[in-house]
Amino acid sequence: MSEKEPLFGKKEKKLLTDPFWNNNPITLQVLGICSALAVTTQLKPSLVMALALTVVCALSNLSVSFMRNYIPNNIRIIVELSIIASLVILTDQILKAFAFEQSKLLSVFVGLIITNCIVLGRAEAFALANSPWRSLLDGIGNGLGYSFILLGVALFREVLGSGTLMGYKLVPQMAYQLGYQNNGLMVLAPAAFFLVGIFIWIQRSISKDLVEED
Amino acid sequence: MCVKGDCAVRNSFVFATVVCVVCSVLLSLAANLLRPRQSYNVEIDRKKNVLVALGLHNSGRKIAPDEVELLYREKIAELVIDGETGDVVDGKAIEELEEGSKLLPLYKRKDNDAVAIPVEGMGLWSLLQGYFALKDDYNTVVGITFYEQKETPGLGAEITADWFTSNFVGKKILNDAGELTSVIVAKGKAADVSGVDIQNAVDGISGATMTTRGVTELLKEGVETYKPYLSKKWPGS
């Protein structure tokens, strides 16, 4: 590219903000739903998961973009997967060393970031055709969009399903004595499905231009 | 050198090799640098589980690593026992025990003589490892924890949940006739199991038959292994 691209011009800002609403990976691209179901029973592990995915997505986009002119086409996917897998293993090892309790809670799901369609999807769709800085921003943007939904679902599931937030009791004991019960459905996986569906519905009601043509 | 068309295959090989080498070096470096911290975390977690099994710590509460160390040193006596005679062996530390030796580790609570034995066995997907704690009559269960498992979250992994482990408290490993039956995890409700006294069974986990079968097996094996030691306090032996 001969023209100098601004570091934080309009296009760059769009890379960070688009995945938040207009092109949210979960509600619009419909990717990465699986982990959205599994870890969102509580807010704390969801935070760790969201951070892990954002870091992996950003770094994988960056690495793939740096190498985009040299990767032979016939081994393209495998190379992308190797990079993603290495980053995820690295993240898992770091979590085990510095956030052991959280890594136990997340158990296999950090490893499953490798299979999360968002990461491979952005590497293929964006990083292969864009500059490293732009790809980094795109990775961070998509990670943030994913985090937005993940934390939203976790917020409802933890508050309604366990009466706590980040482990701290939110519902006073008195409410339980008066007959209030934690919503058991919120703790089960289908609840996450329902919540994501409701988010998609609300989002398209607010931004009608996002509704796809049949 | 290679002709235009042939270069593709050679380039793929070279590129793939470079990627593999770089990734391997990066990961091995990270693994080696982080290993001391990780081992420390695993050791603290193990000690915490011994404390939880023996009722010295509530698993829901937060506790700092040095508090765990302090509590453990204060309240737990690490003993080595002879697997055949059940006698306590002096002068040996648990860290020195080798795989397959007939010497076994035992964790005794200093203030009430409750003991925790390590138990392990295969679940559905992974090796389950935990501690099974008995009161000083070596019959009544005080607690059980699993510190290592990789079972299905929500199903097999529920063996670590408070509701499941708390069911074991108060159960017994000897039946009414004084025979060693261990504690069985029922398929369904414990009360519905025929041929087993209610004090020797706990409710099962729906959807986790294989994992809970593994738990039943590893408990049976565990108490059998420590029988020479445990039987010393049983009536009639």
Side-chain angles (χ1 to χ4, degrees):
Chain A
M1 286 245 209
S2 44
E3 359 119 9
K4 184 89 168 70
E5 289 172 358
L7 214 55
F8 255 121
K10 231 173 162 200
K11 280 207 201 121
E12 283 72 21
K13 280 212 190 76
K14 268 199 122 220
L15 290 172
L16 283 177
T17 55
D18 258 0
F20 216 77
W21 190 264
N22 292 337
N23 202 17
N24 188 293
I26 298 188
T27 58
L28 267 137
Q29 299 175 54
V30 197
L31 299 173
I33 307 246
C34 13
S35 53
L37 307 186
V39 305
T40 49
T41 44
Q42 294 169 42
L43 196 59
K44 206 163 187 192
S46 307
L47 255 164
V48 178
M49 183 69 173
L51 191 69
L53 188 122
T54 305
V55 168
V56 170
C57 200
L59 291 178
S60 107
N61 263 21
L62 187 69
S63 325
V64 171
S65 178
F66 265 129
M67 299 199 279
R68 72 189 186 285
N69 294 320
Y70 306 105
I71 305 179
N73 214 37
N74 48 7
I75 54 169
R76 190 181 83 240
I77 300 270
I78 278 287
V79 168
E80 287 165 4
L81 274 176
S82 307
I83 297 172
I84 296 171
S86 304
L87 285 169
V88 171
I89 295 174
L90 197 65
T91 308
D92 194 30
Q93 293 292 311
I94 292 178
L95 279 176
K96 285 206 177 90
F98 294 102
F100 192 70
E101 284 301 321
Q102 292 308 311
S103 98
K104 273 196 111 178
L105 254 165
L106 287 174
S107 62
V108 297
F109 293 106
V110 175
L112 288 179
I113 296 179
I114 301 179
T115 61
N116 192 318
C117 339
I118 298 177
V119 188
L120 188 63
R122 293 322 287 171
E124 272 282 286
F126 197 90
L128 279 182
N130 285 276
S131 69
W133 173 243
R134 292 266 201 92
S135 302
L136 180 69
L137 290 178
D138 178 83
I140 296 177
N142 274 276
L144 289 179
Y146 170 85
S147 308
F148 178 45
I149 300 297
L150 213 72
L151 297 179
V153 173
L155 187 75
F156 280 98
R157 287 184 80 189
E158 189 177 356
V159 173
L160 294 176
S162 322
T164 61
L165 195 63
M166 292 292 275
Y168 296 108
K169 266 207 167 308
L170 211 65
V171 179
Q173 189 60 26
M174 204 176 56
Y176 290 113
Q177 284 162 0
L178 289 174
Y180 173 79
Q181 282 183 329
N182 286 328
N183 188 329
L185 176 63
M186 282 288 147
V187 185
L188 301 174
F193 252 137
F194 300 151
L195 284 170
V196 173
I198 293 174
F199 283 6
I200 294 178
W201 185 23
I202 294 177
Q203 187 186 20
R204 282 178 176 57
S205 306
I206 298 179
S207 303
K208 301 223 166 48
D209 50 307
L210 294 174
V211 180
E212 293 89 344
E213 303 273 316
D214 267 327
Chain B
M1 290 270 49
C2 53
V3 187
K4 233 358 167 66
D6 296 342
C7 276
V9 176
R10 187 199 68 160
N11 285 347
S12 307
F13 263 108
V14 171
F15 196 88
T17 310
V18 172
V19 169
C20 289
V21 169
V22 171
C23 288
S24 324
V25 168
L26 204 74
L27 289 178
S28 330
L29 221 89
N32 274 298
L33 287 175
L34 295 172
R35 186 165 302 129
R37 269 212 107 147
Q38 290 172 348
S39 308
Y40 177 70
N41 287 338
V42 169
E43 186 55 22
I44 293 291
D45 190 58
R46 196 192 58 81
K47 288 194 168 130
K48 202 194 302 186
N49 272 269
V50 173
L51 293 172
V52 171
L54 284 167
L56 284 164
H57 173 68
N58 189 338
S59 61
R61 270 186 49 227
K62 284 195 214 261
I63 182 170
D66 27 340
E67 275 180 67
V68 172
E69 292 265 35
L70 198 68
L71 197 60
Y72 188 85
R73 222 172 325 154
E74 249 177 70
K75 306 276 182 139
I76 306 286
E78 289 188 349
L79 302 171
V80 173
I81 60 172
D82 187 308
E84 282 162 24
T85 63
D87 296 323
V88 178
V89 174
D90 289 319
K92 271 225 157 218
I94 291 189
E95 291 87 54
E96 299 167 1
L97 295 182
E98 291 151 2
E99 281 286 322
S101 93
K102 66 181 173 106
L103 297 176
L104 305 169
L106 188 83
Y107 304 90
K108 188 184 265 215
R109 188 172 154 169
K110 287 184 192 165
D111 53 359
N112 65 7
D113 282 353
V115 292
I117 61 172
V119 285
E120 71 175 37
M122 284 302 293
L124 174 57
W125 301 110
S126 62
L127 184 69
L128 313 175
Q129 289 175 300
Y131 292 104
F132 190 45
L134 302 169
K135 226 171 81 168
D136 59 356
D137 60 0
Y138 296 175
N139 180 16
T140 315
V141 181
V142 160
I144 183 172
T145 59
F146 287 98
Y147 62 91
E148 197 62 65
Q149 57 85 20
K150 281 185 172 44
E151 301 295 294
T152 315
L155 298 175
E158 288 292 289
I159 58 173
T160 58
D162 279 337
W163 72 264
F164 182 70
T165 54
S166 59
N167 282 345
F168 281 84
V169 180
K171 295 290 175 181
K172 301 190 189 289
I173 59 174
L174 299 175
N175 66 8
D176 284 332
E179 296 156 347
L180 178 64
T181 47
S182 176
V183 181
I184 318 274
V185 183
K187 190 164 156 52
K189 290 269 169 220
D192 299 338
V193 183
S194 60
V196 176
D197 301 332
I198 184 82
Q199 79 226 24
N200 304 124
V202 293
D203 293 341
I205 304 176
S206 175
T209 311
M210 301 295 296
T211 307
T212 51
R213 219 176 265 169
V215 172
T216 304
E217 281 306 313
L218 62 85
L219 286 178
K220 209 177 275 184
E221 220 191 282
V223 295
E224 273 296 333
T225 309
Y226 281 81
K227 190 170 172 185
Y229 176 79
L230 298 172
S231 55
K232 289 183 196 251
K233 293 248 187 113
W234 294 344
S237 49

